[in-house]
Amino acid sequence: MTNYTKLPAILLLADGTVFYGKAAGKIGTTTGEICFNTGMTGYQEIFTDPSYFGQIMVTTNSHIGNYGIQKEEIESDSIKIAGLVCKNYNIVYSRKQATESIQDYFQNDNLVAISDIDTRALVRHIRDKGAMNAIISSEITDLDELKQKLAEVPSMEGLELSSKVSTKEPYFYGNPEATLKVAALDLGIKKNILRSFENRDIYVQVFPAKTKFAEMEKFNPDGYFISNGPGDPSVMPYAVETIKEILAEDKPLFGICLGHQLLAEANNIGTMKMFNGHRGLNHPVKNIIKNHCEVTSQNHGFGVVPEEVKNSDKVEITHINLNDKSIEGIRVKGKKAFSVQYHPESSPGPHDSRYLFDDFVDVMTGKLTW
């Protein structure tokens, strides 16, 4: 195990609020938009979720690192969060299946973190003041210098980030002899989405974010998938145009998270930066088509404009959030296209929403229409 010394570290928020803690991970400085996740487990999946690219994550669970790191549970090929803030940073882990400690993992992936922070006070502050940029440093102690560096960090609003985390070259996933084929537009796709397709006898070709519809069509897929990912959907005209072409050809389409927001944009429905966003494993959502509720995993800082969805003659609402009534799902009238804001592939859980992958299969095979 790598030697670890708890050096002093500083967390500075854009509104001038300062928290003092201890260094964790790599010694250094990092910046990003600060947000919090209320999940009680699954920290490794959070670290590697491409949707968190450019964000500093605050974990509300008091112990991070206590069950170590197992590479089979990652959601992408590297850590994607910009930094971590936690209360108790546990280097010694208890799980036999783990292959390394969180400290080794962070040092190998060059992640800067801070621990021994009053995360309850921090989360209450963010919840009241809203999303903002922040800086963590275990090498700079001068607050004026940190403020200057933080002032140079761009706002998440208006940032196009999906092309930075997307695959550079197309690749295949699953069994080539599978019953169905899906073309997936990778805007920051999670591995468990691909596993969920493979488990349903679907062969997937994954394409870079800026791939044109004509190129994806060469795979002759039975359906198209628009993935989750980071950044502002309103500045992604390349993806919106691809979705419009898929809709024009009346092809089956399924979108998750960012894919949901882009499906809305393709139907002239605007998106917005949320005050705090939804991040956690316990968000209640009602499927108003089937009249049932599900506990969902969520991770998004942008959403579709509710009033524009309700006034649209192109889409209908399928799911709503029972906490704040935000729009969690839509389907396009007269088309084979639908999307949800949350994550049905959620790993480690909950698994209430896995049926949406089965719905996509039924859409592709003609068993489900609307």
Side-chain angles (χ1 to χ4, degrees):
M1 184 181 297
T2 302
N3 291 330
Y4 169 62
T5 303
K6 285 194 171 185
L7 298 174
I10 296 174
L11 168 66
L12 171 66
L13 306 187
D15 67 357
T17 305
V18 181
F19 289 84
Y20 295 93
K22 301 295 184 181
K26 179 186 176 182
I27 300 300
T29 302
T30 189
T31 61
E33 181 184 72
I34 195 162
C35 61
F36 59 90
N37 188 296
T38 59
M40 297 295 287
T41 187
Y43 55 73
Q44 189 175 333
E45 291 87 346
I46 292 171
F47 299 159
T48 55
D49 182 349
S51 295
Y52 282 126
F53 184 75
Q55 294 180 308
I56 292 175
M57 174 54 57
V58 182
T59 51
T60 60
N61 188 32
S62 58
H63 292 278
I64 297 298
N66 51 309
Y67 56 83
I69 301 297
Q70 187 177 12
K71 291 297 177 65
E72 288 77 12
E73 295 172 351
I74 62 175
E75 290 289 355
S76 64
D77 57 1
S78 64
I79 293 175
K80 292 299 189 295
I81 59 172
L84 176 73
V85 182
C86 65
K87 180 173 176 58
N88 298 314
Y89 185 68
N90 303 107
I91 299 177
V92 178
Y93 55 89
S94 58
R95 187 169 54 156
K96 291 182 179 180
Q97 296 93 332
T99 55
E100 63 181 332
S101 72
I102 190 172
Q103 178 63 15
D104 288 337
Y105 185 48
F106 281 3
Q107 286 197 336
N108 290 336
D109 256 22
N110 297 313
L111 187 86
V112 175
I114 183 171
S115 68
D116 293 77
I117 289 288
D118 184 348
T119 50
R120 177 178 292 184
L122 173 58
V123 168
R124 286 174 66 91
H125 183 80
I126 300 170
R127 190 180 62 190
D128 292 341
K129 301 297 183 181
M132 67 184 80
N133 286 335
I135 185 169
I136 299 171
S137 185
S138 49
E139 61 181 357
I140 301 172
T141 58
D142 184 83
L143 287 178
D144 289 334
E145 184 178 351
L146 291 174
K147 288 178 182 178
Q148 183 177 352
K149 288 182 177 296
L150 182 54
E152 298 170 358
V153 181
S155 168
M156 184 65 71
E157 191 167 8
L159 283 186
E160 190 284 309
L161 298 176
S162 286
S163 60
K164 298 181 183 297
V165 298
S166 176
T167 181
K168 303 306 178 187
E169 299 291 337
Y171 65 91
F172 296 96
Y173 192 97
N175 176 15
E177 305 301 320
T179 304
L180 295 169
K181 298 196 299 184
V182 165
L185 192 65
D186 176 14
L187 306 175
I189 199 166
K190 294 170 64 178
K191 288 190 176 182
N192 209 48
I193 290 175
L194 298 176
R195 298 185 196 108
S196 296
F197 283 134
E198 183 182 31
N199 291 340
R200 287 160 178 81
D201 199 27
I202 297 172
Y203 186 46
V204 185
Q205 185 171 14
V206 183
F207 293 90
K210 295 187 176 181
T211 305
K212 303 291 186 182
F213 169 66
E215 185 63 28
M216 299 175 73
E217 194 177 24
K218 293 177 183 178
F219 183 48
N220 193 28
D222 298 286
Y224 292 81
F225 176 73
I226 312 300
S227 84
N228 61 293
D232 187 340
S234 69
V235 293
M236 298 177 63
Y238 62 87
V240 172
E241 182 58 34
T242 297
I243 293 171
K244 285 182 176 179
E245 292 179 3
I246 296 171
L247 294 176
E249 294 296 323
D250 199 21
K251 302 291 186 179
L253 182 150
F254 179 30
I256 288 177
C257 203
L258 180 59
H260 166 75
Q261 298 156 15
L262 292 169
L263 180 60
E265 290 274 358
N267 285 279
N268 300 318
I269 295 168
T271 53
M272 61 181 183
K273 183 79 165 61
M274 301 176 73
F275 187 68
N276 261 317
H278 298 157
R279 298 175 183 90
L281 309 179
N282 59 348
H283 289 257
V285 166
K286 183 177 181 179
N287 181 327
I288 61 177
I289 303 299
K290 298 183 178 181
N291 195 32
H292 74 219
C293 296
E294 52 205 75
V295 179
T296 68
S297 175
Q298 304 209 6
N299 167 20
H300 60 103
F302 291 84
V304 300
V305 180
E307 294 76 14
E308 294 189 22
V309 179
K310 294 171 184 176
N311 295 330
S312 173
D313 60 357
K314 293 184 177 181
V315 308
E316 60 181 326
I317 299 170
T318 59
H319 300 74
I320 58 171
N321 188 296
L322 294 178
N323 284 336
D324 62 7
K325 307 305 178 184
S326 58
I327 308 302
E328 295 282 3
I330 58 173
R331 62 188 187 187
V332 183
K333 296 178 181 179
K335 299 291 183 180
K336 305 169 186 174
F338 70 106
S339 63
V340 291
Q341 180 62 80
Y342 52 96
H343 286 267
E345 85 294 341
S346 56
S347 177
H351 297 168
D352 299 27
S353 307
R354 296 287 170 92
Y355 71 88
L356 288 161
F357 288 100
D358 300 321
D359 284 356
F360 188 36
V361 170
D362 288 345
V363 170
M364 288 189 285
T365 56
K367 296 178 182 178
L368 178 61
T369 58
W370 51 83

